[in-house]
Amino acid sequence: MKKNISSIIVILALIGLLVATFFLQYEYLFLTRIASLIFAIVYLIIEVKHRYFSTKKPLFILFGVISVLAITGCIILDENSATDGFNARSFMLLVFVFILLVVSYKDLYNKNDAAK
């Protein structure tokens, strides 16, 4: 239970950081921040309902693929609409999202094994 609470606190901190970025840099990666905020809220729901998603692992994997593709599309749209040119560092967000998905899946997998 303690691990579940710490995961929820980390996700809430991420949501707080994403909300704070709307006040710090309004025009930079706007669509990407909105998509990231939506997916962070959904991952919070997944963390709260971890028993359901531990039995529905393909649903979690499908959602992970959809979130990576959506964030990729948002980064491309944001970079094409920017006036200062293409910034390849923005795609490092995808590496961060992928690492978070792998850690979340392993956490979900370990919780499912512990429940058996």
Side-chain angles (χ1 to χ4, degrees):
M1 186 68 177
K2 189 171 270 197
K3 190 173 188 179
N4 189 18
I5 292 173
S6 64
S7 298
I8 291 172
I9 290 172
V10 168
I11 294 172
L12 287 174
L14 174 67
I15 291 172
L17 177 70
L18 286 170
V19 169
T21 60
F22 285 102
F23 300 107
L24 298 174
Q25 293 179 336
Y26 181 73
E27 68 280 348
Y28 186 68
L29 294 176
F30 186 72
L31 291 175
T32 305
R33 287 184 284 158
I34 291 174
S36 299
L37 185 62
I38 290 168
F39 288 121
I41 291 170
V42 172
Y43 282 117
L44 178 65
I45 294 169
I46 288 173
E47 190 63 37
V48 170
K49 302 284 187 180
H50 71 279
R51 285 192 180 189
Y52 175 77
F53 284 98
S54 65
T55 59
K56 308 284 186 189
K57 288 180 189 167
L59 182 65
F60 181 80
I61 293 171
L62 177 68
F63 183 74
V65 169
I66 289 171
S67 64
V68 168
L69 291 175
I71 291 175
T72 303
C74 288
I75 290 172
I76 290 171
L77 286 173
D78 281 338
E79 290 295 332
N80 284 339
S81 65
T83 57
D84 58 348
F86 185 75
N87 188 359
R89 290 181 294 173
S90 299
F91 286 96
M92 290 303 289
L93 289 169
L94 292 174
V95 174
F96 180 68
V97 168
F98 182 73
I99 290 170
L100 286 177
L101 283 172
V102 170
V103 169
S104 296
Y105 182 76
K106 283 185 178 181
D107 191 36
L108 195 66
Y109 185 74
N110 290 338
K111 285 180 186 176
N112 191 27
D113 286 345
K116 288 183 180 179

